[in-house]
């Protein structure tokens, strides 16, 4: 992963020590990134396995992902799309967009399009509008999800003009990525207000990160803060098995304990779904007592949506759930 951080996001860190500051930990590289485990990958959720056209990922029946741009305003050290993000593949080209539209026209079951990357809002307004116009020509009723960390790391990018443009595409949902309550600043809240005032709902996908938010009080403050900012907590993801990210991952047992705490303290509106993308392209599943079958020989056994059992490494010390053999 390249190093890069916006001046705004850097200013949120109270220390430049990534071992002692939850903001710094997300943008300052650490030696642990050089430790690659045998079960880790640059493509841990198998994007390439489901590539229907260059930059078009069709994994789930009714929705597809478009990798609009490989650039980010800040490169998260826990990024799971390391095979693509910051890889110098650049922006979506005109010919790639034409091919994506051709494939989409042949797959009418696709009703939702996720625009991600990298960060799609790193594109100028005009380029982004060209992409949205081309996609709506294929199907004017697409439900769009704009996956972006820009409100968190560069909130000034959410201008009135950008919000106006995005708001013209009827079913436009914004999915942002807030991991710590200190990221919910007045600047972030103003950016969200601009989006919400144009009729765009905003969801949040957080990642459970060791040393950043694997704490009951931090997660409680995060979820309440999101609701106050008019953002619905959507997912809390268990860390993917991306290369060099072991130092960020908690155990699934710890995640289950944290979710139990949140359910005892917060309203249903504030509770995200705790989930994992199964290794090897198995898909996304919620993590709870029904899907976590137990720990066997150092591996969690997880029940996938296809009924198959998938393995995820048990890397923590907790052993309060399930049977270990």
């Amino acid at each position: 992963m390249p190093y890069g951080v916006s001046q705004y996001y850097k200013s949120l860190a109270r220390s430049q020590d990534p071992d002692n500051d939850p903001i710094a930990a997300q943008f300052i590289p650490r030696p642990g990134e050089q430790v690659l485990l045998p079960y880790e990958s640059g493509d841990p959720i198998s994007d390439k396995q489901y590539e229907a056209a260059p930059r078009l990922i069709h994994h789930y029946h009714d929705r597809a992902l478009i990798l609009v741009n490989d650039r980010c305003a800040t490169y998260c050290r826990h990024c799971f799309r390391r095979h693509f993000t910051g890889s110098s593949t650049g922006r979506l080209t005109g010919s790639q967009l034409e091919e994506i539209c051709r494939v989409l026209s042949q797959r009418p079951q696709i009703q939702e399009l996720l625009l991600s990357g990298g960060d799609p809002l790193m594109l100028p307004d005009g380029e982004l509008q060209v992409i949205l116009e081309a996609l709506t020509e294929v199907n004017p009723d697409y439900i769009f999800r704009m996956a972006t960390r820009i409100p968190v790391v560069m909130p000034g990018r959410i201008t009135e003009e950008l919000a106006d443009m995005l708001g013209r595409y009827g079913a436009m949902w914004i999915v942002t990525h807030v991991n710590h309550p200190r990221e919910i600043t007045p600047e972030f809240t103003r950016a969200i207000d601009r989006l919400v005032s144009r009729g765009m709902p905003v969801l949040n996908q957080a990642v459970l990160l060791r040393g950043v938010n694997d704490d009951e009080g931090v997660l409680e403050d995060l979820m309440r803060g999101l609701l106050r900012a008019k953002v619905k907590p959507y997912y809390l993801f268990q860390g993917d098995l991306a290369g060099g990210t072991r130092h960020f991952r908690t155990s699934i047992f710890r995640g289950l304990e944290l979710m139990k705490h949140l359910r005892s303290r917060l309203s249903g509106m504030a509770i995200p779904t705790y989930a994992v993308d199964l290794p090897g392209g198995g898909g996304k599943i919620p993590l709870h007592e029904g899907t976590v079958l137990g720990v066997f020989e150092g591996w969690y056994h997880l029940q996938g949506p296809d009924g198959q059992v998938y393995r995820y490494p048990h890397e923590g010390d907790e052993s309060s759930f399930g049977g270990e053999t």
Side-chain angles (χ1 to χ4, degrees):
M1 284 291 295
Y3 170 80
V5 59
S6 68
Q7 287 301 310
Y8 166 81
Y9 192 65
K10 186 176 182 180
S11 75
L12 300 185
R14 296 171 182 168
S15 160
Q16 295 300 297
D17 180 357
D19 292 319
N20 291 293
D21 186 277
I23 306 300
Q26 296 180 68
F27 70 83
I28 295 180
R30 282 182 278 181
E33 290 189 27
Q34 304 304 314
V35 179
L36 304 180
L37 300 175
Y39 47 77
E40 292 182 329
S41 166
D43 182 20
I45 65 173
S46 298
D47 280 345
K48 293 180 180 179
Q49 178 180 338
Y50 297 98
E51 191 173 68
R55 297 183 181 244
L56 177 67
I57 314 299
H58 185 196
H59 187 171
Y60 301 99
H61 171 74
D62 68 335
R63 53 207 183 274
L65 166 70
I66 301 174
L67 299 175
V68 172
N69 179 40
D70 76 333
R71 301 296 157 166
C72 294
T74 293
Y75 291 102
C76 302
R77 306 322 302 175
H78 55 276
C79 179
F80 69 91
R81 194 162 276 129
R82 303 172 99 78
H83 71 94
F84 178 81
T85 304
S87 63
S88 299
T89 51
R91 303 168 177 173
L92 185 70
T93 66
S95 60
Q96 288 170 336
L97 179 58
E98 288 178 10
E99 177 65 8
I100 286 171
C101 290
R102 186 190 67 79
V103 173
L104 289 174
S105 69
Q106 298 172 349
R107 302 189 182 197
Q109 73 272 29
I110 296 176
Q111 298 295 311
E112 284 187 39
L113 293 178
L114 288 70
L115 275 61
S116 186
D119 199 310
L121 296 189
M122 288 291 284
L123 293 182
D125 294 4
E127 288 189 35
L128 193 56
Q129 186 169 2
V130 167
I131 294 169
L132 291 168
E133 288 293 328
L135 296 173
T136 53
E137 284 184 16
V138 177
N139 180 357
D141 294 324
Y142 276 137
I143 300 164
F144 288 108
R145 274 194 256 169
M146 189 71 66
T148 178
R149 210 178 186 205
I150 286 289
V152 180
V153 300
M154 192 185 286
R157 168 71 182 98
I158 309 297
T159 62
E160 301 286 351
E161 293 76 15
L162 175 63
D164 284 339
M165 186 271 285
L166 294 177
R168 290 199 289 270
Y169 296 90
M172 175 66 73
W173 292 67
I174 306 298
V175 184
T176 191
H177 178 182
V178 185
N179 289 324
H180 192 275
R182 274 171 42 200
E183 296 171 340
I184 304 173
T185 64
E187 293 86 353
F188 169 83
T189 301
R190 282 195 293 272
I192 297 301
D193 281 342
R194 284 180 177 151
L195 297 166
V196 172
S197 68
R198 271 70 171 190
M200 288 173 279
V202 184
L203 307 173
N204 188 69
Q205 296 185 159
V207 180
L208 185 58
L209 299 170
R210 182 190 298 270
V212 173
N213 57 17
D214 59 331
D215 174 86
E216 289 88 347
V218 170
L219 283 178
E220 189 176 331
D221 289 347
L222 173 60
M223 302 310 164
R224 280 208 187 94
L226 288 168
L227 284 188
R228 288 195 184 100
K230 305 175 188 174
V231 178
K232 170 69 178 82
Y234 180 35
Y235 276 117
L236 176 64
F237 279 114
Q238 175 67 20
D240 291 314
L241 302 180
T245 62
R246 169 64 187 97
H247 55 292
F248 278 118
R249 292 193 296 269
T250 69
S251 73
I252 289 176
F253 289 154
R254 179 58 178 154
L256 293 171
E257 291 173 353
L258 290 166
M259 288 302 300
K260 182 177 179 181
H261 172 84
L262 292 182
R263 284 191 291 269
S264 73
R265 299 293 298 269
L266 298 173
S267 72
M269 285 197 306
I271 303 296
T273 297
Y274 179 41
V276 68
D277 262 303
L278 292 169
K284 190 182 291 95
I285 62 164
L287 287 169
H288 50 68
E289 285 78 358
T291 56
V292 183
L293 305 180
V295 175
F296 305 93
E297 298 181 349
W299 294 85
Y300 292 98
H301 284 208
L302 307 175
Q303 185 81 50
D306 55 4
Q308 300 297 313
V309 174
Y310 292 81
R311 300 197 312 164
Y312 182 101
H314 176 43
E315 299 170 314
D317 297 326
E318 301 87 345
S319 57
S320 60
F321 178 86
E324 183 161 1
T325 61

